[in-house]
């Protein structure tokens, strides 16, 4: 990445970032944008006012010429665009998504990165070998009918029991809108069901879940845990329709919780290698800087995690679709590449059923932030995945067990993506440009922002400012290392801002199956 400034005092000078040497556009860095006639170091002049994080043409573009960012085509000029102009959405024709039939399969597999040894964190080791970063009592529900009752019980457990168990961080109800009124034998139903099952066994819960059922719902506990019936026999299930009224139900939940809290309170943090981290990555509220600062820095940290033997998951199918040709080439084997294509095809068909396609992804905030279309957004989004080989692909809500870089299919919506990643992860990294106070109750969420202005505006929400990369005061490697070390600290118990304020967005299951 080339920044047209070498010193911090040039901050008040007009400044742009050119990400790849072949790019014919740059990204305006200045918080206030640039005025018409503003002159950059090197002689480029702005032909018009251009806002921060939007694109400026670095040379004259002819009609039909490709517009290059990240060294890749983000669109074609609809008409001639003179040097120094603002590249707005209406000036670009969006390229078609790469054809799934013509993708390269494992043709550019990166060499294994050198191992990174000696990095550890303090975590809760579970009997199955997984490691928790927090010590939480999770209460699974099989249907939304029981959710308010379980929420009521959780309030009582927090107030009456939790103070007696100082080693337990929290008690969380795993509530959701699934469980009944759905075509539970339809193929799509497998996704929400396995997501709930795998979340219920998240490493932060230390083993078997506590389960609350209604009784008559379609998602019976035995069906939810079909692969893991001993879990149910061991812990039992509280069925509301077997209890004698509300107070007796709540008392039964509180009693069962106490039994689990006694066990959880015995857990102690022990030193674990960084290889035990399962880090989920996603972005939300992205702007044109996301792909310049925070996402590449997260990608650098992702490489460090992979080198340390950890699992790194990236997701968000509609943000990968337009960059899929880069990823199938990077797949470790042809089979992994085909698995990725399978997920892309499944989602193309899902969107087509709703008479839509991947271009429905971009938001007004993305566009205000300078991201003209989904192609540009995708290329910036996949920067989070770093440079290592793609080792495996998981379908929606499947538990990831492979080490290294893994694509875990999810929708791009923040809550669905986070919820589906909870099937596996013990730590979450969220990058944002426009800003979101996002958080999850079950795992720590580390928020990394793309611009320093956002870090200054939200000092008590943003954990790490990657905007320093754009102003030249830190490199991608600096922020990547800072994030890597922060992740080890947070995994060991350091509180994130989202945890401090207890920001836990509601779990949002992805149910592509029909409702009845
Ligand atoms: Ca997202």
């Amino acid at each position: 990445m080339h920044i047209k400034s070498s010193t911090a005092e040039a901050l008040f000078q007009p400044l742009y970032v050119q990400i790849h040497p072949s790019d014919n556009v740059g990204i305006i860095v200045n918080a206030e944008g640039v005025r018409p006639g503003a002159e950059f170091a090197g002689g480029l002049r702005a032909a018009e006012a251009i806002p921060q994080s939007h694109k400026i043409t670095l040379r004259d573009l002819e009609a039909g010429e490709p517009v290059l960012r990240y060294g890749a085509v983000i669109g074609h000029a609809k008409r001639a665009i003179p040097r120094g102009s603002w590249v707005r959405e209406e000036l670009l024709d969006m390229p078609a998504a790469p054809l799934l039939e013509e993708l390269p399969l494992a043709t550019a597999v990166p060499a294994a990165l050198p191992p990174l040894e000696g990095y550890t964190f303090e975590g809760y080791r579970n009997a199955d070998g997984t490691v928790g970063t927090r010590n939480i009592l999770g209460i699974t529900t099989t249907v939304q009918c029981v959710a308010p009752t379980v929420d009521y019980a959780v309030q009582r457990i927090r107030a009456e029991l939790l103070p007696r168990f100082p080693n337990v961080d929290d008690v969380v109800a795993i509530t959701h809108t699934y469980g009944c009124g759905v075509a539970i034998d339809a193929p799509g139903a497998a996704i929400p069901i396995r997501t709930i099952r795998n979340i219920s066994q998240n490493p932060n819960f230390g083993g078997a879940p506590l389960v609350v059922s209604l009784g008559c719902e379609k998602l019976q506990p035995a069906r939810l845990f079909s692969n893991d019936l001993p879990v149910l026999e061991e812990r039992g299930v509280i069925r509301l329709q077997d209890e004698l009224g509300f107070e007796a139900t709540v008392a039964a939940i509180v009693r069962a919780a106490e039994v689990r809290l006694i066990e959880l309170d015995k857990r102690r943090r022990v030193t674990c290698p960084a290889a035990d981290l399962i880090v989920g990555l996603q972005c939300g509220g992205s702007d044109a800087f996301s792909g310049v600062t925070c996402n590449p820095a997260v990608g650098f940290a992702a490489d460090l995690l992979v080198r340390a033997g950890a699992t790194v998951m990236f997701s968000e199918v509609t943000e990968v679709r337009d960059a899929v040709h880069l990823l199938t080439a990077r797949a470790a084997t042809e089979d992994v590449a085909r698995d990725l294509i399978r997920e892309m095809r499944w989602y193309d068909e899902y969107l087509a059923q709703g008479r839509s396609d991947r271009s429905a992804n971009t938001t007004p905030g993305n566009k205000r932030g300078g991201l003209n279309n989904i192609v540009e957004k995708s290329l910036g989004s996949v920067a989070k995945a770093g440079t290592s080989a793609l080792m495996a692909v998981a379908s929606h809500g499947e538990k990831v067990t492979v080490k290294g870089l893994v694509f875990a299919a999810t929708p791009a919506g923040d809550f669905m993506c986070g919820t589906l990643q909870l099937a596996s992860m013990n730590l979450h990294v969220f990058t944002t440009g426009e800003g979101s106070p996002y958080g999850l109750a079950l795992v720590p969420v580390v928020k990394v922002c793309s611009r320093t202005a956002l870090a200054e505006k939200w000092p008590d929400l943003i954990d790490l400012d990657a905007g320093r990369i754009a102003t030249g005061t830190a490199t991608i490697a600096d922020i990547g290392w800072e994030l890597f070390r922060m992740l080890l600290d947070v995994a060991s118990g350091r509180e994130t801002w989202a945890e401090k304020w207890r920001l836990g967005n509601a779990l949002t299951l992805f149910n592509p199956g029909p409702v009845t």
Side-chain angles (χ1 to χ4, degrees), residues 201-408:
Q201 298 175 61
N202 183 284
N204 283 355
F205 299 150
L210 181 60
V211 182
V212 178
S213 147
L214 178 63
C216 61
E217 71 272 28
K218 282 191 169 158
L219 183 57
Q220 291 288 307
R223 181 166 194 148
L224 177 57
F225 289 101
S226 56
N227 297 345
D228 209 356
L229 274 174
V231 168
L232 291 180
E233 283 155 19
E234 202 179 308
R235 299 293 167 189
V237 176
I238 296 164
R239 280 168 46 109
L240 261 63
Q241 287 166 346
D242 291 346
E243 302 291 337
L244 300 170
F246 181 76
E247 290 198 37
T249 302
V250 172
I253 298 171
V254 172
R255 272 197 309 278
E258 187 169 11
V259 174
R260 291 288 292 126
L261 286 168
I262 290 168
E263 291 302 310
L264 289 170
D265 201 50
K266 293 175 188 162
R267 293 173 95 195
R268 292 291 181 276
R269 288 188 183 271
V270 296
T271 303
C272 303
D276 286 320
L277 291 176
I278 306 165
V279 182
L281 309 175
Q282 78 152 318
C283 42
S286 298
D287 67 4
F289 269 114
S290 297
V292 179
T293 59
C294 52
N295 290 353
V298 168
F300 191 94
D303 283 352
L304 296 177
L305 288 161
V306 167
R307 289 173 59 191
T311 300
V312 177
M313 297 187 293
F314 69 111
S315 295
E316 304 176 279
V317 173
T318 50
E319 291 179 17
V320 164
R321 182 65 182 84
D322 283 278
V324 68
H325 52 297
L326 308 173
L327 293 163
T328 52
R330 253 171 79 184
T333 65
E334 291 191 5
D335 280 344
V336 172
R338 284 190 200 98
D339 287 347
L340 185 62
I341 294 168
R342 177 199 68 211
E343 292 305 320
M344 297 296 126
R345 179 170 290 122
W346 185 93
Y347 216 94
D348 279 358
E349 288 167 5
Y350 166 75
L351 288 169
Q353 281 167 18
R355 299 185 183 182
S356 189
D357 67 22
R358 89 286 187 210
S359 68
N361 173 302
T362 39
T363 66
N366 292 154
K367 294 187 176 184
R368 198 169 55 240
L371 290 175
N372 288 147
N373 58 38
I374 185 59
V375 181
E376 184 174 15
K377 186 174 174 181
S378 292
L379 291 164
S381 178
V382 299
K384 295 196 297 298
T387 62
S388 66
L390 179 66
M391 301 307 291
V393 173
S395 289
H396 297 87
E398 280 183 347
K399 187 186 280 288
V400 171
T401 53
V402 173
K403 301 284 189 188
L405 183 68
V406 177
F407 180 74

Side-chain angles (χ1 to χ4, degrees), residues 35-265:
R35 294 180 186 163
E39 188 172 346
F40 297 84
L44 177 69
R45 262 179 203 282
E48 56 196 310
I50 307 176
Q52 186 195 29
S53 71
H54 284 249
K55 292 178 293 298
I56 182 170
T57 46
L58 303 180
R59 59 177 178 77
D60 291 335
L61 300 182
E62 291 174 22
E65 196 173 336
V67 176
L68 297 170
R69 181 178 175 187
Y70 304 104
V73 180
I74 60 167
H76 293 86
K78 275 190 182 164
R79 57 167 173 78
I81 312 176
R83 183 173 190 247
S85 301
W86 178 14
V87 181
R88 295 183 303 277
E89 182 187 0
E90 58 269 25
L91 296 180
L92 292 187
D93 279 322
M94 187 169 77
L99 286 174
L100 295 179
E101 295 73 23
E102 296 172 5
L103 294 173
L105 305 178
T107 51
V109 187
L113 298 168
L116 193 61
E117 281 160 10
Y119 288 91
T120 61
F121 68 102
E122 302 297 308
Y124 298 100
R125 189 166 292 286
N126 299 313
D128 66 358
T130 62
V131 173
T133 58
R134 295 292 182 268
N135 188 15
I136 295 173
L137 169 59
I139 304 181
T140 296
T141 59
T142 53
V143 66
Q144 204 199 9
C145 312
V146 305
T149 304
V150 174
D151 284 336
Y152 184 92
V154 163
Q155 282 180 32
R156 270 195 54 190
I157 295 163
R158 277 195 183 136
E160 296 168 23
L161 294 183
L162 216 49
R164 284 171 37 212
F165 302 101
N167 288 321
V168 181
D169 293 312
D170 202 0
V171 50
V172 178
I174 305 167
T175 54
H176 52 81
T177 58
Y178 197 71
C180 214
V182 290
I184 204 149
D185 295 315
I191 289 176
I193 294 172
R194 71 175 171 238
T195 306
I196 302 170
R197 176 169 63 236
N198 291 332
I199 290 176
S200 301
Q201 298 175 61
N202 183 284
N204 283 355
F205 299 150
L210 181 60
V211 182
V212 178
S213 147
L214 178 63
C216 61
E217 71 272 28
K218 282 191 169 158
L219 183 57
Q220 291 288 307
R223 181 166 194 148
L224 177 57
F225 289 101
S226 56
N227 297 345
D228 209 356
L229 274 174
V231 168
L232 291 180
E233 283 155 19
E234 202 179 308
R235 299 293 167 189
V237 176
I238 296 164
R239 280 168 46 109
L240 261 63
Q241 287 166 346
D242 291 346
E243 302 291 337
L244 300 170
F246 181 76
E247 290 198 37
T249 302
V250 172
I253 298 171
V254 172
R255 272 197 309 278
E258 187 169 11
V259 174
R260 291 288 292 126
L261 286 168
I262 290 168
E263 291 302 310
L264 289 170
D265 201 50

Side-chain angles (χ1 to χ4, degrees), residues 412-462:
D414 298 347
F415 320 108
M416 282 197 190
C417 173
T419 298
L420 271 67
Q421 288 186 344
L422 281 170
S424 310
M425 70 179 164
N426 54 19
L427 204 54
H428 194 45
V429 176
F430 183 87
T431 65
T432 187
E434 300 286 322
S436 168
Y438 172 87
L440 295 170
L442 305 184
V443 303
V445 176
V446 173
K447 289 209 283 295
V448 184
C449 71
S450 71
R451 288 171 301 120
T452 298
L454 178 59
E456 287 171 351
K457 187 170 76 174
W458 284 6
D460 53 1
L461 285 168
I462 299 296

